[in-house]
Amino acid sequence: MLRLKLRLNRNSTIVKGGLFSMFSFFNKGLNFILLIIIANFLTPEEYGSLSLFTTLIMLFGFFMCLSGEGYMSVVFFKKTFEEFRKSLTCICLIPCVMVVLSLLLLCVGSFITLELFGLKIIEVFYALTISFLTFYVNLYLDYNRIKERIIAYGIISCSFAFINFILTLLFIVLFNAGWHGRVYSLLFCTIIYAFFTVFVFLKNKLLTVSGLSITTFRTIALWGMPLIPHATSIWIRQGCDRYIINDSYTMYEVGIFSFALNLANIMNMVGMAFNSSNSIDIYKSLSNPTETLLPKLRGYTKKMIGFYTVISIGMMLVVSLFIPFALPNYSNSLIYYYLLVPYGFLQCIYYLYCNYLFYYGMNKQIMKITFSAALIHLLLSFLLTRYSLFLTALIYTVTQLIIVFSLRVMVGKALNNNVNNYKPDWLL
């Protein structure tokens, strides 16, 4: 009977993980396919402008909730429902304050937006609006994820991706809106889905105005703020590089390198897809350690490293055949892509190790590692990019290797302090 129960639980985990991964692949995969398709209708210069715009959305997103949105998962598993409601309400209110402050800063500094971001002021406002609304869409998805409402998660994420896919093609292909067609599509989708999120939260009485205190806001802010440098490290590495390349090369080369980086980020998509389902299982396992915990985690790590290795090699072969045939204008990006493949692989390993540190509340340690590596990346890119974009691509892999190795050391320390009879090896 016990053996049957364990088998059912294991099969349930496989099914849930497979479904979460499938939805994530569909969402991110459709978005990637969209970027491939619209590349046929955009010049490399326009593709570079779209890349800068997307990077700015990412930048605004880092500060939208002071990186405190992840606290929802913590309070969900550790606190009462009433405390969860208060925390969720605060998480929803913080972005409203941040967007007002951002608008004031943009109005004061509107004359430097073109020089600073490479975009017009109206385009910067669009990026801020999209980032603000996307926060609530992602918050609702994350709520369904921690509740393990797989079907609801799939319907929302996949429908958003599909509608955005169709609208972008309509605006760019049918109405000849250029790269702004992508902007208009994102605006429409985020407005609809953000309002739906607020409606669902209110209908299910997940928000409350009673009992709110400065203490709750402060707790969320203090939990999340160490993750702001951690989150911005991604922007520092990918976003700042685009501006550094733009300063040393033409917009054509910005577009070519950005396209190569998007190809490499396919592996990032794979890692995030599997991590969205597996992180919950890791938290559950760590919260109830048994004698088989460490062998189980090590076995999973070995399997995932092998899986990511196979996917990386397979993806490289597919891209090598597909790009020259389907998008000959972007064939020059392949040489950069080959140098970025190890970076994408290491990014997947990074997700594996981060779960342990998030569970044990070692946010500051993650921040120190990723932010320090980002600064090293920025310094190397500033010094070397002007000489060759090959060096820029290599910098990605070198700094990501530093991050993964450092996280591996911290995971070992965390498990040594929290798991009995822990014996370190090269995995955990």
Side-chain angles (χ1 to χ4, degrees):
M1 189 70 180
L2 178 60
R3 186 176 299 176
L4 177 61
K5 183 177 180 180
L6 290 174
R7 186 180 299 173
L8 290 173
N9 288 337
R10 182 160 56 248
N11 290 339
S12 177
T13 299
I14 293 173
V15 171
K16 289 187 293 185
L19 287 174
F20 272 124
S21 298
M22 181 182 68
F23 294 142
S24 185
F25 283 143
F26 180 85
N27 191 354
K28 294 181 174 61
L30 199 62
N31 182 64
F32 178 78
I33 292 173
L34 176 64
L35 293 178
I36 296 292
I37 293 175
I38 64 177
N40 287 287
F41 301 91
L42 300 177
T43 65
E45 290 79 8
E46 289 178 309
Y47 200 91
S49 296
L50 178 58
S51 177
L52 294 175
F53 181 83
T54 305
T55 302
L56 186 57
I57 293 177
M58 185 195 310
L59 176 63
F60 284 135
F62 296 147
F63 300 93
M64 198 53 65
C65 191
L66 300 176
S67 288
E69 59 271 18
Y71 187 73
M72 179 177 68
S73 299
V74 176
V75 72
F76 179 83
F77 287 108
K78 294 185 177 181
K79 304 292 184 180
T80 64
F81 177 70
E82 188 59 32
E83 290 174 310
F84 172 76
R85 292 177 67 206
K86 294 176 183 177
S87 297
L88 181 60
T89 303
C90 293
I91 290 172
C92 289
L93 290 176
I94 291 175
C96 297
V97 177
M98 296 304 298
V99 77
V100 170
L101 294 176
S102 299
L103 285 171
L104 292 175
L105 289 175
L106 287 176
C107 289
V108 172
S110 60
F111 61 94
I112 64 171
T113 56
L114 183 61
E115 180 178 351
L116 183 61
F117 300 119
L119 299 168
K120 299 177 182 178
I121 183 63
I122 186 63
E123 294 166 346
V124 177
F125 282 138
Y126 285 156
L128 177 61
T129 302
I130 291 171
S131 180
F132 172 67
L133 296 172
T134 300
F135 169 82
Y136 294 101
V137 179
N138 290 335
L139 190 67
Y140 182 59
L141 285 173
D142 203 42
Y143 174 74
N144 282 288
R145 184 180 65 86
I146 62 177
K147 291 283 288 184
E148 296 186 90
R149 294 174 176 171
I150 305 175
I151 301 302
Y153 179 95
I155 291 174
I156 295 298
S157 62
C158 293
S159 62
F160 183 95
F162 181 75
I163 295 174
N164 183 44
F165 180 90
I166 297 299
L167 288 179
T168 300
L169 291 180
L170 286 176
F171 282 120
I172 293 179
V173 179
L174 190 61
F175 300 123
N176 296 318
W179 72 270
H180 289 99
R182 175 70 166 164
V183 178
Y184 303 146
S185 175
L186 286 171
L187 274 173
F188 178 84
C189 291
T190 53
I191 288 173
I192 298 299
Y193 281 77
F195 274 104
F196 176 76
T197 296
V198 175
F199 170 77
V200 171
F201 282 174
L202 291 174
K203 181 181 178 181
N204 291 280
K205 299 181 179 180
L206 296 175
L207 303 178
T208 180
V209 294
S210 62
L212 296 183
S213 64
I214 298 298
T215 302
T216 306
F217 283 99
R218 184 170 63 247
T219 300
I220 295 171
L222 291 176
W223 187 92
M225 287 180 69
L227 294 178
I228 294 179
H230 162 68
T232 55
S233 65
I234 301 174
W235 185 86
I236 289 174
R237 297 172 73 192
Q238 295 197 14
C240 288
D241 267 349
R242 286 176 169 88
Y243 294 110
I244 292 174
I245 295 171
N246 188 37
D247 185 61
S248 303
Y249 299 90
T250 65
M251 188 60 72
Y252 169 82
E253 288 163 307
V254 175
I256 289 295
F257 189 84
S258 297
F259 188 79
L261 193 56
N262 284 335
L263 290 174
N265 280 333
I266 296 176
M267 283 305 300
N268 183 41
M269 177 187 73
V270 172
M272 290 183 66
F274 277 87
N275 192 66
S276 64
S277 62
N278 185 67
S279 58
I280 296 177
D281 291 329
I282 289 179
Y283 292 164
K284 289 180 179 178
S285 298
L286 292 174
S287 65
N288 186 29
T290 63
E291 293 182 358
T292 61
L293 172 63
L294 291 175
K296 175 183 176 182
L297 294 176
R298 285 168 177 154
Y300 170 78
T301 303
K302 290 179 181 178
K303 290 178 181 178
M304 293 309 299
I305 289 177
F307 172 76
Y308 292 142
T309 301
V310 172
I311 293 296
S312 297
I313 295 174
M315 189 59 65
M316 185 168 59
L317 293 175
V318 171
V319 168
S320 298
L321 296 173
F322 176 79
I323 296 302
F325 173 75
L327 296 170
N329 290 338
Y330 289 87
S331 294
N332 290 336
S333 66
L334 286 178
I335 189 63
Y336 304 123
Y337 167 70
Y338 297 143
L339 297 174
L340 289 167
V341 168
Y343 159 74
F345 168 80
L346 291 169
Q347 185 72 13
C348 296
I349 310 303
Y350 155 84
Y351 289 125
L352 283 177
Y353 289 143
C354 270
N355 286 319
Y356 298 92
L357 302 183
F358 281 131
Y359 176 82
Y360 290 120
M362 300 175 68
N363 296 8
K364 291 183 180 179
Q365 287 82 348
I366 296 176
M367 177 268 291
K368 291 177 182 178
I369 292 171
T370 56
F371 191 69
S372 297
L375 293 180
I376 294 173
H377 181 111
L378 181 61
L379 177 61
L380 291 175
S381 182
F382 180 77
L383 294 175
L384 301 178
T385 292
R386 70 188 70 178
Y387 300 111
S388 173
L389 288 176
F390 298 117
L391 294 175
T392 307
L394 288 173
I395 291 169
Y396 275 91
T397 296
V398 171
T399 53
Q400 190 63 31
L401 184 61
I402 293 173
I403 291 173
V404 169
F405 178 79
S406 301
L407 287 176
R408 160 64 189 83
V409 173
M410 295 307 302
V411 169
K413 292 181 179 179
L415 292 175
N416 185 54
N417 293 332
N418 293 279
V419 178
N420 294 330
N421 301 319
Y422 169 73
K423 296 180 180 179
D425 66 9
W426 68 278
L427 287 175
L428 294 173

